[in-house]
Amino acid sequence: MRAHRLRVTKVIEETNDAKSLVFEQPAEFHYRPGQFLTLRVGEAARCYSLSSSPHTDDSPTVTVKRTPEGYASNWIHDNVVAGMEIDMLPPGGVFTPTTLDDDLLCCAAGSGMTPIMSIVKSVLAAGSGTITLIYANRDERSVIFRAALADLATVHPTRLTVIHWLESVQGLPNTPALRALLEPFAAREAFVCGPTPFMDAAATALESLGAPRIRIERFVSLVKNPWNRRVA
């Protein structure tokens, strides 16, 4: 695959442990809502979802949450600044809607909101579908894109419904609780992204409700080193 080397134009602090990297937009760079980029960090490769939308944003943007003992996320948070160039593979992934005109159910937890943010913005800007978003976080301070989601819900009150789940208030989201929350929307195509326990609980709840199609985003580490190829 032909790789890219893109310059970081801006670093945005979303929360205390989440940052967005905004890249320059080369003419030949195209992606779909919900896809990810594979970034080079040293000799390692790590996948980070695009939180930007090709329909609303001028520049591709990934959002990275710092994880304990996470080599790549900690390096990015501690070292990446505007002006730095980063090698990456072309956008990839199939966690993307077939059409932006269908009604969707989106279930996210923590940084799992990143690809879903891309989908939400794209549907609202370039489609006719409505979205119900269930978004789980530790507490109010850890809600990534909190202000942006509130703005979108204000602009599109009949098309976007955001339901926040805060562990500090409601405890960990489990299958029975999620089943009750998701039941009114189970006939929609569902997109699920977040920590594995959350995704498993949401998927089990949706399966028990007979959801017609469930899309789950799971990242798997690359076996081979992709940086042996020349970067464009």
Side-chain angles (χ1 to χ4, degrees), residues 67-211:
T67 57
E69 308 302 324
Y71 161 71
S73 67
N74 280 287
W75 188 90
I76 288 171
H77 272 252
D78 294 338
N79 295 280
V80 174
V81 295
M84 182 178 291
E85 293 185 339
I86 296 180
D87 296 340
M88 62 189 69
L89 297 182
V94 295
F95 190 71
T96 183
T98 304
T99 172
L100 301 179
D101 296 323
D102 287 346
D103 295 340
L104 303 179
L105 170 61
C106 295
C107 304
S111 59
M113 185 60 207
T114 302
I116 287 178
M117 189 63 175
S118 178
I119 293 170
V120 167
K121 290 192 290 186
S122 298
V123 169
L124 295 177
S128 60
T130 64
I131 299 174
T132 296
L133 167 63
I134 313 298
Y135 188 17
N137 283 282
R138 293 190 308 271
D139 50 42
E140 189 173 352
R141 292 177 300 174
S142 62
V143 180
I144 305 173
F145 312 125
R146 179 175 56 182
L149 284 170
D151 289 343
L152 287 172
T154 299
V155 174
H156 304 278
T158 63
R159 297 184 59 207
L160 174 61
T161 301
V162 181
I163 302 172
H164 288 284
W165 180 294
L166 300 180
E167 295 173 14
S168 59
V169 177
Q170 297 153 278
L172 289 171
N174 55 38
T175 297
L178 287 173
R179 190 183 193 280
L181 199 58
L182 301 176
E183 186 171 9
F185 318 103
R188 302 180 180 189
E189 181 175 18
F191 287 79
V192 181
C193 190
T196 298
F198 173 83
M199 292 194 294
D200 291 345
T204 299
L206 288 165
E207 289 166 359
S208 72
L209 292 168

Side-chain angles (χ1 to χ4, degrees), residues 4 39 70 85 90-91 147 177 208 214 223:
H4 301 276
L39 306 186
E85 293 185 339
S208 72
I214 306 169
V223 175

